[in-house]
Amino acid sequence: MKLISRIPLSCCVLSALIPGAFSLAAQADEKIALLTSWYAQAEQGGYYQALATGIYKRYGLDVSIQSGGPQVNGMQLLLAKRADVIIGYDLQLLESVQRGFQAKAIAAPFQFDPQGLLTHDSVTSLDGLKDKTLLVSSSGQSTWWPWLKARYQLSDSQVRPYTFNIQPFVADENVAQQAYVSSEVFQAQQAGVKSNFFLFSEHGYPPYGGILITRPDLISSRKEAMAKFVQASMEGWVSYLQNPAAGNALIKKDNPKMTDDLLAWGVEQIKAHHLIDGGDAATKGWGTMTQARWQKTRDFMVNAKMLNADTDWKQAYTTEFVDHMQVKP
């Protein structure tokens, strides 16, 4: 596959967003602090690739990447102006908008959430969970669990805490647990456990995966920089899925526990499940968002009593940076 011609396309796209053309080379590098949602891993590969290969630099951006984690509240840091862009989730963002927080999604690199359920091989469908113990993290209980519980008539009494340790699952065939297709599924295979994995998005779970979120004041005051950041980030994803070596080197530097085989697995699963190039991205370009998808997520949250019906959900996102962008291999 061949990368799209970057500079001509970006100039066209960004000139449409901002009156007057601009020169990529003539402007001083503009700093953007990106905070991820977890420790460095393949799910952030496109951003590390854009940094490692100079894509951000070519767009006149000086991007720093800070890793998130279980104790890091990305939304809080964004609102406190300690980050310019965070990787977050639509459910979290819609709930924040309901609370009056000033935050807005600007792109959806992951068209589908990598979240799913890992079971032993005796469970052949999500209908077979009624007698199982389910390990769910605290964040999972307020995001995908209400969807799974309602769709498959499950009970809160089945839930036990998931502590990001796969050993309870390995030791007990009656246990199923939350998992990312790019991480825990690999760990189960390494442990020699015969298992099945069910990606929630393939069973109707509507949210996007990691979305890029910033503040409305930055969209107003740094519109050109935000447009370039979205464009360059998606080009980073194209590059990463073609040859991830450069991005992986930075990932391992930020997260020394990350291994080459786990990174390779992650890239393979992102491709296999079309997490980035599937859905609307197949025709509209990588990173795209649509009102129809956001409304599906909004409707699920309202039905699950996670969002008030009168919340102005359209304030949670803008498509101005992804409309007509058309970044693809």
Side-chain angles (χ1 to χ4, degrees):
M1 292 189 294
K2 185 178 180 181
L3 276 173
I4 59 173
S5 178
R6 291 184 178 132
I7 292 179
L9 173 61
S10 61
C11 286
C12 176
V13 171
L14 298 175
S15 295
L17 285 171
I18 304 151
F22 63 93
S23 167
L24 292 176
Q27 298 188 358
D29 289 353
E30 191 156 3
K31 294 183 182 296
I32 292 181
L34 171 66
L35 174 64
T36 72
S37 56
W38 200 250
Y39 306 120
Q41 55 187 335
E43 287 92 334
Q44 292 115 32
Y47 313 108
Y48 282 98
Q49 186 84 355
L51 185 60
T53 60
I55 295 174
Y56 285 136
K57 183 76 171 177
R58 188 154 57 248
Y59 277 90
L61 300 175
D62 179 7
V63 175
S64 61
I65 303 176
Q66 179 181 346
S67 295
Q71 307 303 320
V72 177
N73 187 323
M75 185 62 70
Q76 186 178 70
L77 293 175
L78 176 69
L79 297 176
K81 300 185 178 182
R82 293 176 60 187
D84 299 315
V85 182
I86 63 171
I87 300 174
Y89 299 93
D90 354 12
L91 276 66
Q92 170 201 32
L93 178 56
L94 285 165
E95 196 237 347
S96 296
V97 167
Q98 175 175 271
R99 296 170 65 185
F101 295 164
Q102 295 298 303
K104 196 177 289 281
I106 54 176
F110 275 74
Q111 293 293 294
F112 306 110
D113 196 329
Q115 186 75 65
L117 202 73
L118 182 65
T119 73
H120 289 268
D121 63 348
S122 58
V123 177
T124 57
S125 77
L126 290 173
D127 292 307
L129 297 173
K130 289 184 173 60
D131 63 343
K132 303 300 179 185
T133 296
L134 305 176
L135 304 184
V136 183
S137 68
S138 57
S139 62
Q141 292 186 39
S142 60
T143 52
W144 57 265
W145 170 244
W147 170 84
L148 188 72
K149 179 174 65 172
R151 191 174 182 91
Y152 296 97
Q153 294 79 55
L154 303 175
S155 168
D156 287 330
S157 64
Q158 295 176 250
V159 172
R160 302 290 182 273
Y162 176 54
T163 60
F164 300 94
N165 179 357
I166 201 172
Q167 289 309 311
F169 171 80
V170 172
D172 189 346
E173 290 195 1
N174 197 53
V175 167
Q177 68 154 69
Q178 70 178 60
Y180 260 26
V181 65
S182 52
S183 54
E184 287 95 345
V185 178
F186 177 79
Q187 294 173 32
Q189 289 193 3
Q190 292 293 97
V193 178
K194 293 181 179 180
S195 60
N196 290 322
F197 176 75
F198 302 94
L199 189 68
F200 292 148
S201 66
E202 295 176 354
H203 297 269
Y205 186 56
Y208 291 114
I211 56 176
L212 295 176
I213 304 170
T214 189
R215 299 186 307 275
D217 67 282
L218 288 180
I219 294 175
S220 298
S221 65
R222 301 177 66 191
K223 188 179 293 287
E224 186 174 310
M226 289 297 121
K228 290 191 289 186
F229 176 74
V230 171
Q231 177 84 24
S233 294
M234 296 321 303
E235 289 183 15
W237 273 113
V238 171
S239 175
Y240 183 71
L241 294 186
Q242 289 178 338
N243 181 0
N248 284 347
L250 281 187
I251 288 173
K252 289 189 292 182
K253 182 178 179 181
D254 269 9
N255 182 7
K257 294 182 178 179
M258 186 54 61
T259 62
D260 288 329
D261 51 358
L262 180 53
L263 284 167
W265 170 267
V267 171
E268 178 185 328
Q269 296 307 306
I270 289 170
K271 291 179 177 179
H273 292 276
H274 299 285
L275 298 180
I276 290 177
D277 64 351
D280 295 313
T283 55
K284 295 178 180 293
W286 293 17
T288 195
M289 298 185 294
T290 67
Q291 180 173 312
R293 275 293 299 279
W294 275 97
Q295 179 148 19
K296 286 182 179 179
T297 300
R298 174 266 178 198
D299 291 348
F300 148 61
M301 292 183 71
V302 170
N303 292 334
K305 298 185 175 7
M306 298 164 63
L307 190 72
N308 295 334
D310 60 357
T311 297
D312 189 0
W313 57 277
K314 292 181 183 178
Q315 292 301 310
Y317 67 94
T318 177
T319 62
E320 63 185 296
F321 300 113
V322 294
D323 284 346
H324 316 299
M325 187 170 63
Q326 285 288 327
V327 172
K328 296 179 185 177

